[in-house]
Amino acid sequence: MAERLAASLLPAAASPSPSARRATVPAAASFPSSCSARAAGLRLRSSRSAAGRFSKAAAGRRGGGGALRVVRCMAASDAAELKSAREDIKDLLKTTYCHPILVRLGWHDSGTYDKNIEEWPQRGGADGSLRFEPELNHGANAGLINALKLIQPIKDRYPSITYADLFQLASATAIEEAGGPKIPMKYGRVDVTAPEQCPPEGRLPDAGPRDPAEHLREVFYRMGLDDKEIVALSGAHTLGRARPDRSGWGKPETKYTKDGPGEPGGQSWTVEWLKFDNSYFKDMKFLSQLPSEEQKEQDLLVLPTDAALFEDPSFKVYAEKYAEDQEAFFKDYAEAHAKLSNLGAKFDPPEGFSLDDDMSDRPADEKKEEAAAALEPVVAAVSTATSDDNNGAAPQPEPFVAAKYSYGKRELSDSMKQKIRAEYEGFGGSPDKPMQSNYFLNIMILIAGLAFLTSLVGN
């Protein structure tokens, strides 16, 4: 399989674009089978030949003589391009069902962080280093070359974003599109620039350590995460499958995976393995109560690190809670995912920026509307200033500016302005003159009132 994958990659290699942000990674191809890769960061076996052969071939096509040609991309990402890339990722998810492997891509790029190392990029973390061959060949990253093939066309379309941001954007979007919580992400991560900056192998979790609970703490404590965050992040096993021919874990296929979607086969942790909810904890709680022999007969996967969540007293508190309360799980997961995505990252600007509330990331048409709205007070001031020098004519009314009646900092939308104008004119007023009193109507109302009172007195 690895040989066929390598062969399929070679023809796809293309010449680099003129953009200063291109780096050496695989070109475009649609691989639904990549969706079978698991969503959590467990050690998987890989064939190193696929990534190695492709990298050498790509370098040869670039005239690199067998060495990777590295292009530096050290600037922050463009917010508008990130928003457009997010829409493209949503389209990709709808057609390839690659939610699990995109989650895993972001996790494995950031999960190499070591809080005991201060220097960047030696400390590891979310820096885009996973695109380089040395890290891609780590055993725990088996199959992630498929994720790079899926995501690279989006990077080509939006060269002003970094790989580090793109990996984390894809991971968070996959969670949200699978029905998970909104992740409070920030962006502006800087990319590493050379394969020599990749972290050493061995920093990611293993699926079957001798002491699963202790191993999880050793790995995640090194990142600065705690027991609650370990359990919450483990809940991402609600997505994805494991395949025995890749990771050594799971069944070749089950009744839940034999028909796909994507490439059939593998064993999932949950029945609906492309839906993000708290079913992982519900299923693990049920399976943990069965004898080991009966567990093996089930079609759902339970790894030693999964079982540890209901065996370790500290982990069990959170696992039991999440099995009963999906809202609590979503809240804790969103916070833990966002924290994981920032580990080790170097931001430009240093505080990063959000795609949801940062003003700089709005589309160009919105920026034009706001610029026009900002000019309205200037136009009004000019009109007022020239009204006294109008050849004796009556002063011109001040133009209607809805922002004068708004309590917020932003201009009202055009639809809101039209609504206010329509309601005002409906009562007889207009932006150009005050509403006049209707004296005839007032007199008629008064006469009718007197007649009513006279009738009452007569009765």
Side-chain angles (χ1 to χ4, degrees):
M1 178 179 291
E3 299 298 333
R4 293 197 299 272
L5 176 60
S8 69
L9 291 173
L10 293 177
S15 300
S17 69
S19 167
R21 292 180 174 267
R22 283 293 302 275
T24 305
V25 296
S30 177
F31 272 76
S33 62
S34 67
C35 303
S36 65
R38 46 170 306 181
L42 300 181
R43 184 181 303 279
L44 302 178
R45 298 174 184 170
S46 81
S47 170
R48 303 182 180 229
S49 61
R53 292 186 180 187
F54 174 74
S55 298
K56 291 178 182 179
R61 290 171 181 264
R62 290 164 171 77
L68 284 172
R69 177 175 179 266
V70 180
V71 180
R72 295 187 179 275
C73 48
M74 292 294 289
S77 297
D78 179 79
E81 288 198 4
L82 277 169
K83 294 189 75 172
S84 298
R86 180 167 60 185
E87 297 306 310
D88 286 6
I89 291 170
K90 292 178 182 179
D91 292 339
L92 177 69
L93 293 167
K94 293 174 184 177
T95 57
T96 63
Y97 311 105
C98 58
H99 305 68
I101 202 171
L102 292 189
V103 174
R104 182 169 166 245
L105 177 67
W107 280 31
H108 281 217
D109 193 46
S110 62
T112 60
Y113 173 65
D114 188 339
K115 68 177 183 180
N116 301 310
I117 302 175
E118 295 183 3
E119 296 78 12
W120 184 91
Q122 292 89 333
R123 64 195 182 204
D127 55 18
S129 61
L130 187 50
R131 72 190 190 273
F132 290 120
E133 180 182 356
E135 187 171 351
L136 195 61
N137 282 339
H138 291 177
N141 293 329
L144 284 180
I145 190 170
N146 292 333
L148 289 175
K149 286 175 64 66
L150 288 167
I151 213 73
Q152 182 62 34
I154 297 176
K155 179 66 172 72
D156 292 341
R157 282 195 291 274
Y158 307 107
S160 295
I161 60 180
T162 61
Y163 281 97
D165 271 347
L166 182 60
F167 293 167
Q168 300 307 323
L169 174 68
S171 181
T173 304
I175 293 292
E176 294 168 6
E177 290 299 294
K182 177 73 174 176
I183 312 296
M185 300 290 290
K186 70 174 183 177
Y187 298 94
R189 297 170 186 80
V190 174
D191 276 345
V192 298
T193 58
E196 294 75 17
Q197 296 173 309
C198 292
E201 187 169 6
R203 292 187 179 181
L204 295 172
D206 195 351
R210 182 164 49 183
D211 187 339
E214 184 61 27
H215 174 71
L216 288 175
R217 289 193 173 95
E218 179 183 353
V219 172
F220 285 94
Y221 282 12
R222 187 206 68 229
M223 302 181 203
L225 302 175
D226 58 25
D227 285 359
K228 181 178 75 171
E229 291 161 334
I230 291 173
V231 179
L233 291 172
S234 297
H237 272 163
T238 190
L239 299 177
R241 302 169 283 179
R243 294 177 181 272
D245 59 329
R246 299 181 184 180
S247 65
W249 296 94
K251 299 178 180 179
E253 71 173 24
T254 69
K255 60 184 178 183
Y256 306 120
T257 64
K258 64 180 181 179
D259 298 322
E263 181 182 353
Q267 186 175 15
S268 60
W269 285 264
T270 60
V271 175
E272 296 183 83
W273 47 271
L274 285 176
K275 178 182 179 182
F276 193 96
D277 55 19
N278 68 334
S279 60
Y280 165 77
F281 294 105
K282 293 180 178 179
D283 293 338
M284 291 302 110
K285 181 178 180 179
F286 169 74
L287 294 172
S288 67
Q289 298 170 354
L290 298 179
S292 57
E293 291 301 322
E294 292 187 30
Q295 286 186 15
K296 295 179 181 179
E297 296 175 0
Q298 302 298 315
D299 271 349
L300 296 179
L301 180 63
V302 182
L303 297 172
T305 46
D306 298 317
L309 301 183
F310 284 91
E311 294 172 355
D312 181 86
S314 179
F315 289 160
K316 187 175 181 179
V317 172
Y318 300 108
E320 294 271 6
K321 176 182 178 181
Y322 298 152
E324 300 298 327
D325 190 342
Q326 179 170 286
E327 183 177 351
F329 166 53
F330 274 24
K331 176 181 180 298
D332 291 347
Y333 178 85
E335 294 174 356
H337 185 122
K339 182 176 179 179
L340 177 65
S341 73
N342 295 336
L343 295 180
K346 178 180 179 182
F347 285 92
D348 181 14
E351 68 279 6
F353 59 87
S354 169
L355 298 186
D356 300 309
D357 57 17
D358 188 85
M359 300 293 289
S360 64
D361 65 341
R362 287 168 300 155
D365 55 347
E366 292 186 13
K367 294 180 180 180
K368 291 178 181 178
E369 290 180 3
E370 178 135 336
L375 288 176
E376 286 190 3
V378 178
V379 174
V382 172
S383 176
T384 302
T386 57
S387 63
D388 294 335
D389 187 20
N390 199 21
N391 296 325
Q396 297 296 316
E398 179 182 351
F400 178 78
V401 182
K404 289 181 61 178
Y405 309 99
S406 173
Y407 58 82
K409 296 181 180 180
R410 301 184 185 181
E411 174 62 81
L412 294 175
S413 65
D414 290 340
S415 60
M416 182 58 72
K417 292 179 185 178
Q418 294 174 0
K419 182 177 180 181
I420 294 174
R421 183 188 293 271
E423 291 178 353
Y424 188 55
E425 291 177 347
F427 286 102
S430 77
D432 302 326
K433 63 182 180 179
M435 186 167 58
Q436 301 296 324
S437 298
N438 193 324
Y439 296 107
F440 177 75
L441 179 61
N442 292 342
I443 292 174
M444 292 300 296
I445 293 174
L446 178 62
I447 293 175
L450 292 173
F452 178 71
L453 291 174
T454 300
S455 175
L456 290 177
V457 172
N459 290 337

